[in-house]
């Protein structure tokens, strides 16, 4: 974790506590050092900024890594719905691949 970057992000958050990009950046910054803080920022994004598509992949991955596949699956599915609704087919494709992999539905032809 880069302390200077974290301090700057916290200043941004103080200036605008509802900015989804700042919340997302904080979740990403905390991801490696404080999983609970990262999770709380992802949860805030999911609750308050439903259309912030970038959240879904990373939040679901975090839950997947924590062994909470049911929560991860729910987040992937919601992300698929939102990304399609927003017309973000790149995010849709990434979410679909990650969901399929988690569910054991990815396979490669030999």
């Amino acid at each position: 974790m880069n302390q200077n970057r974290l301090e700057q992000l916290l200043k941004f958050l103080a200036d605008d506590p509802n900015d989804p990009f700042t919340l997302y950046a904080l979740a990403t910054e905390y991801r490696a050092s404080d999983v609970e803080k990262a999770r709380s920022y992802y949860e805030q994004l999911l609750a308050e900024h439903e259309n912030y598509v970038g959240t879904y992949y990373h939040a679901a991955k975090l839950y997947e890594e924590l062994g909470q596949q049911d929560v991860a699956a729910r987040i992937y599915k919601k992300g698929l719905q939102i990304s399609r609704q927003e017309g973000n087919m790149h995010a849709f494709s990434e979410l679909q691949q990650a969901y399929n992999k988690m569910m054991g539905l990815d396979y490669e032809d030999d």
Side-chain angles (χ1 to χ4, degrees), residues 18-60:
N18 201 34
D19 177 51
F21 178 78
T22 301
L23 295 169
Y24 178 81
L26 281 164
T28 302
E29 194 66 31
Y30 278 118
R31 181 79 193 268
S33 64
D34 190 334
V35 172
E36 286 306 312
K37 278 189 181 180
R39 182 182 358 201
S40 73
Y41 284 116
Y42 285 134
E43 287 296 331
Q44 183 178 353
L45 282 160
L46 293 169
E48 297 173 10
H49 301 282
E50 184 177 80
N51 292 342
Y52 199 79
V53 175
T55 304
Y56 291 93
Y57 178 90
H58 295 286

Side-chain angles (χ1 to χ4, degrees), residues 42-104:
Y42 285 134
E43 287 296 331
Q44 183 178 353
L45 282 160
L46 293 169
E48 297 173 10
H49 301 282
E50 184 177 80
N51 292 342
Y52 199 79
V53 175
T55 304
Y56 291 93
Y57 178 90
H58 295 286
K61 275 292 181 196
L62 178 64
Y63 280 102
E64 192 177 340
E65 291 165 8
L66 294 172
Q68 297 181 30
Q69 271 65 16
D70 56 332
V71 178
R74 179 179 49 79
I75 294 170
Y76 280 132
K77 288 178 184 177
K78 181 70 174 184
L80 288 165
Q81 174 192 348
I82 296 295
S83 61
R84 179 174 281 162
Q85 177 183 308
E86 294 292 309
N88 189 334
M89 298 316 290
H90 178 75
F92 180 88
S93 176
E94 287 183 337
L95 287 162
Q96 186 71 64
Q97 288 175 354
Y99 175 76
N100 287 351
K101 184 174 183 178
M102 183 187 77
M103 299 302 290

